[in-house]
Amino acid sequence: MEIWINPACSKCRSALSLLDAEGAGYTVRRYLEEVPDEDEIRAVLERLGLEPWDITRTQEAEAKELGVGAWARDAGARDRWVAALAAHPRLIQRPIITADDGTAVVGRSEDAVRDALSRGKTL
């Protein structure tokens, strides 16, 4: 299991605390320092079953500067969104937990983190 975090994020810290409390085995990726490339973002999106706009923090200042709120949300615009997430990782919703069964979740709630844990714990 891998968890993409921003250490300054309270949701990320809560997810880490829950994983620790459950004794889960995981690897931390500080995605602002170890920025995922476009292929990694596509792979995570596939695991999540989501589109790039679904994991974009559209209220961030960078998102507003880029004008992402006005971008199309369709297959033709997908690459533009992925490129923006790779170039501006602060826009990626967090934390993202890749589960042992090949899926992933956005772990913003305790239930979502527990869902990731239930998908093949490594205790």
Side-chain angles (χ1 to χ4, degrees):
M1 192 176 337
E2 181 176 77
I3 180 169
W4 291 9
I5 68 156
N6 173 351
C9 168
S10 63
K11 299 283 187 188
C12 294
R13 292 191 307 271
S14 294
L16 290 172
S17 293
L18 181 55
L19 292 174
D20 288 341
E22 293 294 325
Y26 63 90
T27 302
V28 170
R29 178 171 184 170
R30 294 175 182 228
Y31 70 92
L32 296 179
E33 297 166 15
E34 188 183 340
V35 179
D37 63 27
E38 291 183 28
D39 288 337
E40 289 175 298
I41 292 170
R42 283 186 190 90
V44 162
L45 286 166
E46 186 173 322
R47 291 176 80 166
L48 286 165
L50 296 174
E51 293 293 340
W53 46 85
D54 296 327
I55 66 161
T56 300
R57 298 172 57 85
T58 58
Q59 297 306 309
E60 290 287 325
E62 286 179 72
K64 290 178 181 182
E65 288 172 20
L66 292 170
V68 299
W71 291 3
R73 295 179 182 210
D74 58 28
R78 192 170 203 265
D79 287 341
R80 181 181 190 190
W81 283 86
V82 170
L85 292 173
H88 305 277
R90 201 169 294 285
L91 299 182
I92 299 172
Q93 192 61 263
R94 58 190 183 251
I96 293 177
I97 304 169
T98 56
D100 293 339
D101 70 352
T103 62
V105 299
V106 178
R108 295 193 55 77
S109 69
E110 182 176 327
D111 286 343
V113 176
R114 289 193 184 284
D115 183 34
L117 280 166
S118 72
R119 296 178 188 205
K121 290 185 186 181
T122 52
L123 297 178

